[in-house]
Amino acid sequence: QQQVKQSPQSLIVQKGGISIINCAYENTAFDYFPWYQQFPGKGPALLIAIRPDVSEKKEGRFTISFNKSAKQFSLHIMDSQPGDSATYFCAARANTGNQFYFGTGTSLTVIP
Amino acid sequence: EAGVAQSPRYKIIEKRQSVAFWCNPISGHATLYWYQQILGQGPKLLIQFQNNGVVDDSQLPKDRFSAERLKGVDSTLKIQPAKLEDSAVYLCASSLKVILTGEQYFGPGTRLTVT
């Protein structure tokens, strides 16, 4: 059973455009929602994270929007750049033991 | 600050052979995770340690996989015997046992190919 559902599987965006990746969850015990960026041959790296008591968090060009009632959260990449081309994973952490559950990933390609 | 170290980076073995992976977490990180990442998928937790105790190993195929974390620092993950479906990247991650943050930091992974 996939604890965190992520879409789309792949995304192609023009340079300067907005990239949007969506995730949904069911488990109300999740208390921390990070996004990771992974380049080929590398491990995932924490990009930005949010807690459910906040509806939005922005760091530079990256914004997380969080809808607690809908159990959905999304990553917005503003002014997308070719260097943003990578695979993005959403994740959720259970408050019962610090376990992290990952989405299936979104392959983002930013076209120059 | 040094990151999470893993070795080897690549390993090719034949099915039914055994293999071991090593992980050295960030200094001071009490929590250590092993994940399996199959090509095109998100990381799947295999086992989680808190210091040298196991917190969660519910998704670890215990008939062939084993892991230990001696002295609460380094950890090894072993597969014996390996199957073709074990071909994946094995990621180690660590985090502080802190309720408020919870960030985990990943190593570069070990890419295992079973032929």
Side-chain angles (χ1 to χ4, degrees), chain B residues 81-107:
Chain B
K83 293 184 176 181
L84 296 176
E85 59 260 36
D86 297 333
S87 294
V89 175
Y90 290 85
L91 295 164
C92 178
S94 69
S95 69
L96 288 168
K97 182 181 178 286
V98 177
I99 299 299
L100 292 179
T101 58
E103 293 96 344
Q104 56 179 331
Y105 299 87
F106 284 85

Side-chain angles (χ1 to χ4, degrees), chain B residues 42-74:
Chain B
K44 183 186 83 171
L45 179 68
L46 292 176
I47 189 167
Q48 177 188 346
F49 291 95
Q50 184 67 30
N51 296 308
N52 60 351
V54 175
V55 173
D56 185 350
D57 63 356
S58 58
Q59 298 193 85
L60 187 74
K62 298 179 185 64
D63 58 333
R64 299 185 300 106
F65 286 64
S66 64
E68 61 181 6
R69 189 182 184 195
L70 298 177
K71 301 181 181 179
V73 183
D74 292 5

